[in-house]
Amino acid sequence: MTRAVTPGAEGAKHQRDLASRAAGHTLDDARFRALADAYGGEIGHWPQDLRPAAEAFAQTSAGKAVLEEAAQIDSLLDRFTVASPSASLQMQILKSGARRGAWHRALRRVLIGAGLLGVGLAGGLAGAAAVMIAVPAPALIAEDGVTAFGGLSPDVASSEEKPGLMPAGEGRQ
Amino acid sequence: MDDPDAALMQAVAAGEPAAMQMLVARKLPRLLALAVRMLGDRVEAEDVAQETFLRIWRHAGSFRGERARLDTWAHRIALNLCYDRLRRRREQPMAEPPDAIDPALRPDEALSEACSARRVERALQALAPRQREAIVLVYYQDMTNRQAAELMDVSVDALESLLSRGRRALAAILKGDDQ
C-alpha cells in the first residue's frame, strides 16, 4: 500500500530539495542572506559564479523572504535617479577637448619645425666641420715668405729708389 | 585586457573631434551620475565631470589599456576628485550645516515621488563615504564585485561588508524618517 503524499508534505520536501541543491554549491541560508544584503534582491546582479546556486536557493521560502526584503531596499535606491547631462555641459567639455587638441597639434607643429631646424643646423655644422677637416686652411705665411698680403722679405728695391733712405756717406764720394 | 574603449582613446589622443564627441556621449552620463551620488550636489558634480574629462584629454596619449580599462581609470579620477571635495567640505567651517547631514524631510516637502527621491538622496549622503562609494559603484554604476573592490583597493569580502552595512544603514535612516 502506497502512502498518499499530501500537497503540503510534497511542498516541504521540494523546499528541502531546493535548499540542499543550493547547499551543494556551498550556498547556505547565512551566505544567501549575506549576498542579498550586499548585492540586493536581483540575483542577476550577484557574482556570476554564485548565481546558479542562488537561483536554486531562491526557490525556497526562506530564500524568497530574503530576496523580498532586499528588493525593498533596492526599490528605495531606485528612486534616486540622476538627470542626463545638459547640452551646455557636454559643449563645455568638448570645447576643452578641442582646445587641448588644438594646443597639442600646435605644439606638435612647433616641435616638428624645431626638429627640422635642428636637423638643418646640425647638417650645416657637420658640413662645415667636414670641409675644415678635409681641406686645410690656407697658410698665412708660405714657406717662401709670401703671405696673403705680400712677401715678408725687405723691399730692397723700393728702398734703393728713395734717396732719403740710402745709408749715410754712400752717396758722397 | 580587452578594453572596448582602447581604439577610441587612440583617436582621442590624435585629437579627432568625432572621437572626443563619442567618448563624451559614452562616459559623461555615467561619470556625472557617479559624482552626483557621491557628492549630493549637481553643480559640484558637473565640475568633477568636467575636471575628469580635462584629465582624460591631457593623458589620452599616455593611456595604456593593458594596465586598466578606461572606465575604471575614469572612475578612479572622478572618485579622487569627489573625495577631494568631501575633504574640503570637512575642513571648511560652514555658516550653516549642509542639507545632506539630515536625511529627514523638511515640513514644507510634500510626499511626492520627487520628494521621496530626495529622501533617498539625503540618506545616501548620510552614510559613511566608503559605504556610499561601495553602493554607488556596485548598485548604481553596475560594476562587478571584483571591479569595485579593485577600484576601492579592498578585498571582495571587505566590499561585501561595506555594501551590506551601507544598505542596512540606509534602510534604518529611511525607516527612522517614517516614524
Side-chain angles (χ1 to χ4, degrees), chain A residues 31 37-40 47 70 74 76-80 83-85 89-90 92-94 96-97 100 105, chain B residues 15 20-21 28 32 37 42 50 53 57-58 116-117 120-121 124 139-140 145 160 163-164 167-168 170 174:
Chain A
R31 180 67 181 135
D37 278 351
Y39 301 105
D74 292 350
L76 290 173
L77 287 169
D78 288 342
R79 291 184 196 171
F80 185 6
S84 301
L89 176 65
Q90 292 184 49
Q92 280 171 27
I93 290 172
L94 285 171
S96 71
R100 183 82 201 165
R105 280 193 297 276
Chain B
M20 290 180 180
Q21 218 163 345
L28 177 59
L32 180 65
R37 289 182 174 123
R42 176 94 189 184
Q50 282 200 56
F53 272 94
W57 305 144
R58 201 177 302 151
S116 72
V120 177
E121 186 181 338
L124 200 62
Y139 192 81
Y140 290 114
N145 57 352
E160 285 183 2
L163 283 168
S164 47
R167 287 171 61 97
R168 272 200 300 269
L170 189 94
L174 291 169

Side-chain angles (χ1 to χ4, degrees), chain B residues 43-59:
Chain B
V43 175
E44 276 198 284
E46 290 193 351
D47 288 346
V48 164
Q50 282 200 56
E51 182 61 31
T52 304
F53 272 94
L54 269 179
R55 294 189 188 194
I56 291 175
W57 305 144
R58 201 177 302 151
H59 299 292

Side-chain angles (χ1 to χ4, degrees), chain B residues 78-146:
Chain B
L79 279 170
N80 284 343
L81 292 168
C82 287
Y83 273 106
D84 285 348
R85 282 169 186 267
L86 291 172
R87 211 172 297 126
R88 246 177 277 156
R89 276 186 201 170
R90 276 203 310 270
E91 285 164 6
Q92 282 172 358
M94 290 184 175
E96 288 174 30
D99 283 353
I101 286 175
D102 179 12
L105 283 176
R106 289 195 302 266
D108 58 328
E109 287 178 323
L111 286 168
S112 62
E113 191 64 28
C115 162
S116 72
R118 184 82 188 118
R119 281 174 64 192
V120 177
E121 186 181 338
R122 288 185 196 175
L124 200 62
Q125 295 307 309
L127 296 182
R130 292 288 275 177
Q131 291 175 5
R132 180 163 70 245
E133 184 182 351
I135 291 175
V136 169
L137 292 178
V138 174
Y139 192 81
Y140 290 114
Q141 302 296 103
D142 210 19
M143 285 194 161
T144 66
N145 57 352
R146 289 210 178 108

